[in-house]
Amino acid sequence: MCGIIGYIGFRSASSVITEGLKHLEYRGYDSVGVAVVHQKKLNVRKDKGMVQDVSTKLDFTSMDGHMGIGHTRWATHGGVCKENAHPHTDCKKNVVLAHNGVIENFSALKADLASKGHIFDSETDTEIIAHLIEENMKNSKTSSFKEAFFTSLKSLEGSYALAAFAVDDSEERLFFARKNSPLVIGVGKDELLAASDIPAMLKYTKTFVPLEDGDVAILTKSGYKVYSLDGKEVSRKQMTVDWTAEMAQKGGYPYFMEKEINDQKHFINESLASDVTAAKSLIDQYENIHIIACGTSYHAGLMFSYLLGERGMSAQAYIASEYPYIVKPNKNTLVIAISQSGETADVLQALRYAKGCKKIAITNVVGSTITTIADCVVFINAGPEAGVAATKTFTCQLGIIYKIIYGKEKLESLSSLIEQMLKTEKKVKEIASALAKSENIFFIARGKNVPIAYEASLKLKEITYIHSEAYPGGELKHGPLSLISEGVPIIAIAPDDETLAKLFGNIKEAKSRGAKIISLTNNLDVQKESDFSIKLPELSSIDPMLYPFAMIIPLQLLAYHVSVLKGINPDRPRNLAKSLTVE
Ligand code: AGP
């Protein structure tokens, strides 16, 4: 996954692109580059590193020109180095191109182009597209870039969102194309943009046109046109969003993640305002429900399956990438896909696999690919999430799931509950200091607290690089207990509910083998057994069904503070990216 952006208009293209790339960095942040054209002269600057560092070092914003493209990379083909950073060019430095996705037949294309004399500067699959266009321009009678661009797309297998232009084009114009990778046009006054995601363009417009698979868009100073691959003009709907540019800023916090954790008290209300009527009525009609998702969204899905199960319904949560190996859904199966980005390739593949089934999508991103596949879409309304670690989108996913199951009235206290739990931060910081040097940390829980344990463990390992596992308490004795020795931290998610009696036994089991117990609880006996304890609200002041919301907040804060204590940037953990558009 990578982020791409293009700009044509009256402003300095390099400034707009550099600013936009900062918002796309969550999609990949190992290298960055910008290419602009000015009076038919090309200027490409790129290197490995993050947007802020590279753009300062190479002085991106001093590049003249009102048209250009930019890219932030998450390496798939070729290591992390300047040569592999995008944009790429052809032999003549005429065709300029940036790409998000994977070209599956790139080896064959590269061999063919090499045999025709093309010389490559990088190891990427992207560069071959620039050379392919160059080759097709040679072969076209008119040497038309437009014609060669369309012809080249037909030879590409795999996924792509492309931004491209030709320095010697007959007019100033940018070309974009999408297949299984997101791409949205931003329509401003006398200026146009296109990018992988909306926040990169919010400063300039609130009007957007999401492209569909197989679309090619051409942007000029006077407007845009969208075509199908066979060159026929097609019309695509414009939409407006009510997100503000400020929503995509850090708002005084040092990291997006801290802001996003704190923002949960507001966004949960936005989420609960979402209309779930159609989804609820579909769910009521089916006896067999499959929930598919990845990572954090999978944990929300797992919670959904526990809650539907409690109601006597048959619902199973599947990790999206495994789904096709496990079951064969049929027309009597309702498939619910949960994806913050709505672009996760594993989820989209699983949805496509569930041919003939009715599909509900629960997502945060208006215009995302998942919304074009599902029969019914519920938006979680969490606002843009920039930190790689999902936080507010998890609670908002839970908000939607709870609303579907319990209705909104019972959830009205959620915002103040989250606010109350944010106040545990002082205690959380103390625990973070005690845990920062740990090599292994375990989480235990039972029942519907288990998805929270999984999520807390994922959050911790993702941004602190500490090895962490989560187990249902009953599983400890079936293997993991052998890993417990003097001082190994066990975080027990132990609210005073139907799971406590048995979980208390598991806590004692671990403690007697030397574990350091950190508990989240409102039970005095558990507090006494604990080395550290985060207090959950008294039983008298909380509806027990809301415990998951109360528990996840300090656990997100814990991961965040351990990460910061270890000198890691929690917004950009190594090897990860926010939107995973490759399988
Ligand atoms: C969690 O912090 C991660 N960012 C990751 O597990 C994420 O939830 C997963 O990649 C799924 O993304 P999606 O919700 O956009 O489909």
Side-chain angles (χ1 to χ4, degrees):
M1 295 103 356
C2 305
I4 64 168
I5 180 165
Y7 175 82
I8 182 164
F10 55 89
R11 299 176 209 261
S12 149
S14 59
S15 302
V16 175
I17 291 167
T18 306
E19 181 64 29
L21 287 174
K22 289 180 187 157
H23 293 286
L24 292 173
E25 205 169 33
Y26 71 86
R27 304 177 64 84
Y29 35 88
D30 58 45
S31 26
V32 59
V34 171
V36 294
V37 64
H38 182 53
Q39 294 170 348
K40 297 266 177 205
K41 282 213 175 66
L42 176 66
N43 191 352
V44 182
R45 296 184 190 173
K46 59 184 188 176
D47 207 346
K48 65 176 182 184
M50 297 183 67
V51 177
Q52 187 59 53
D53 300 339
V54 178
S55 64
T56 307
K57 187 177 79 179
L58 301 180
D59 203 6
F60 278 177
T61 54
S62 69
M63 297 160 84
D64 284 333
H66 300 292
M67 182 181 101
I69 59 176
H71 185 272
T72 178
R73 180 170 188 246
W74 185 80
T76 55
H77 290 66
V80 178
C81 61
K82 180 179 174 179
E83 291 69 30
N84 290 336
H86 301 213
H88 291 283
T89 53
D90 62 345
C91 298
K92 286 199 225 131
K93 312 280 177 249
N94 176 47
V95 176
V96 189
L97 195 127
H99 166 223
N100 165 36
V102 173
I103 303 304
E104 286 164 10
N105 59 335
F106 101 104
S107 302
L109 289 170
K110 190 170 184 174
D112 183 47
L113 289 162
S115 74
K116 291 172 177 149
H118 289 261
I119 310 281
F120 302 95
D121 293 332
S122 77
E123 302 158 289
T124 63
D125 52 344
T126 305
E127 192 192 347
I128 60 107
I129 310 172
H131 290 268
L132 186 62
I133 296 172
E134 179 184 26
E135 187 61 26
N136 284 324
M137 281 173 84
K138 269 191 229 159
N139 297 336
S140 121
K141 277 191 208 129
T142 55
S143 298
S144 149
F145 177 69
K146 181 179 174 187
E147 193 184 318
F149 187 78
F150 275 87
T151 310
S152 304
L153 291 178
K154 290 177 191 140
S155 308
L156 303 179
E157 289 168 18
S159 60
Y160 54 78
L162 294 176
F165 64 86
V167 179
D168 73 353
D169 204 357
S170 50
E171 59 176 310
E172 284 208 321
R173 51 187 178 169
L174 289 174
F175 285 68
F176 295 88
R178 85 156 267 179
K179 185 182 164 204
N180 292 337
S181 288
L183 200 49
V184 183
I185 299 175
V187 185
K189 193 170 169 334
D190 303 323
E191 58 187 342
L192 286 159
L193 305 99
S196 307
D197 201 356
I198 288 171
M201 303 180 276
L202 270 180
K203 198 167 166 189
Y204 310 99
T205 182
K206 293 209 166 50
T207 306
F208 299 99
V209 182
L211 294 179
E212 295 180 12
D213 277 347
D215 284 355
V216 176
I218 302 180
L219 276 52
T220 63
K221 277 190 179 140
S222 53
Y224 71 91
K225 284 191 172 157
V226 184
Y227 303 88
S228 60
L229 263 189
D230 55 13
K232 287 204 186 94
E233 197 175 335
V234 290
S235 101
R236 294 287 174 249
K237 262 197 208 143
Q238 280 197 0
M239 53 165 225
T240 51
V241 299
D242 55 7
W243 295 356
T244 61
E246 290 67 46
M247 280 179 176
Q249 306 292 337
K250 285 185 200 149
Y253 289 96
Y255 294 102
F256 280 113
M257 184 176 176
E258 191 177 356
K259 174 175 187 274
E260 286 161 2
I261 292 173
N262 279 279
D263 276 352
Q264 294 179 103
K265 56 182 181 283
H266 306 301
F267 281 105
I268 193 67
N269 290 331
E270 301 292 319
S271 191
L272 293 177
S274 192
D275 184 3
V276 300
T277 331
K280 189 173 166 35
S281 107
L282 264 178
I283 289 168
D284 289 343
Q285 289 164 40
Y286 282 81
E287 282 180 4
N288 191 21
I289 298 173
H290 292 172
I291 302 162
I292 53 176
C294 305
T296 291
S297 298
Y298 169 74
H299 299 145
L302 196 59
M303 179 69 82
F304 207 173
S305 72
Y306 271 89
L307 299 182
L308 287 169
E310 267 182 9
R311 303 228 135 182
M313 295 165 80
S314 163
Q316 182 71 44
Y318 296 94
I319 289 171
S321 56
E322 289 298 304
Y323 183 59
Y325 302 116
I326 306 176
V327 275
K328 287 203 189 314
N330 58 41
K331 62 177 175 30
N332 299 319
T333 313
L334 175 67
V335 177
I336 305 177
I338 308 178
S339 172
Q340 182 282 129
S341 61
E343 300 292 351
T344 300
D346 291 330
V347 177
L348 300 179
Q349 272 307 108
L351 268 182
R352 291 185 182 115
Y353 166 76
K355 262 196 211 99
C357 301
K358 270 266 184 263
K359 302 175 184 80
I360 297 176
I362 300 178
T363 186
N364 193 32
V365 182
V366 178
S368 57
T369 305
I370 206 170
T371 63
T372 63
I373 301 176
D375 303 284
C376 165
V377 180
V378 183
F379 291 107
I380 65 169
N381 296 342
E385 188 175 67
V388 161
T391 51
K392 62 176 178 168
T393 55
F394 179 67
T395 42
C396 289
Q397 286 167 343
L398 289 189
I400 291 293
I401 289 164
Y402 269 65
K403 186 175 176 187
I404 289 173
I405 295 186
Y406 300 110
K408 194 178 168 190
E409 297 74 55
K410 297 200 166 180
L411 307 174
E412 258 144 25
S413 60
L414 266 183
S415 174
S416 56
L417 174 64
I418 291 173
E419 193 160 11
Q420 186 183 348
M421 293 314 293
L422 286 167
K423 293 187 183 139
T424 59
E425 190 161 13
K426 194 163 166 239
K427 185 77 191 174
V428 169
K429 278 183 168 173
E430 191 190 317
I431 299 171
S433 303
L435 296 188
K437 293 209 167 76
S438 306
E439 287 180 4
N440 301 290
I441 296 179
F442 295 89
F443 288 79
I444 53 169
R446 277 177 179 255
K448 62 177 180 294
N449 305 323
V450 169
I452 298 298
Y454 288 151
E455 173 56 11
S457 173
L458 171 66
K459 214 87 308 170
L460 188 80
K461 74 177 82 145
E462 182 180 22
I463 60 169
T464 68
Y465 315 154
I466 294 174
H467 171 246
S468 170
E469 301 293 335
Y471 291 99
E475 277 297 287
L476 272 190
K477 59 186 176 296
H478 296 292
L481 208 49
S482 68
L483 295 169
I484 305 305
S485 57
E486 199 57 41
V488 171
I490 290 221
I491 301 181
I493 298 180
D496 204 342
D497 63 8
E498 72 285 358
T499 66
L500 188 66
K502 286 191 175 154
L503 193 79
F504 195 39
N506 304 135
I507 292 171
K508 287 195 159 255
E509 249 165 38
K511 180 147 182 154
S512 62
R513 283 151 182 92
K516 185 192 285 177
I517 305 294
I518 297 108
S519 63
L520 275 89
T521 192
N522 45 4
N523 177 279
L524 271 181
D525 293 332
V526 178
Q527 277 166 21
K528 279 185 206 143
E529 286 294 326
S530 308
D531 296 86
F532 295 95
S533 193
I534 295 169
K535 269 198 195 142
L536 294 177
E538 296 298 332
L539 252 184
S540 55
S541 70
I542 182 172
D543 181 338
M545 81 173 190
L546 301 181
Y547 280 137
F549 294 90
M551 296 177 306
I552 194 58
I553 305 295
L555 293 171
Q556 291 171 343
L557 284 169
L558 180 67
Y560 171 78
H561 284 296
V562 174
S563 178
V564 172
L565 276 175
K566 292 188 75 175
I568 295 166
N569 176 349
D571 289 341
R572 303 282 176 264
R574 68 185 178 205
N575 303 337
L576 299 178
K578 182 122 193 108
S579 180
L580 292 149
T581 52
V582 291
E583 278 175 74

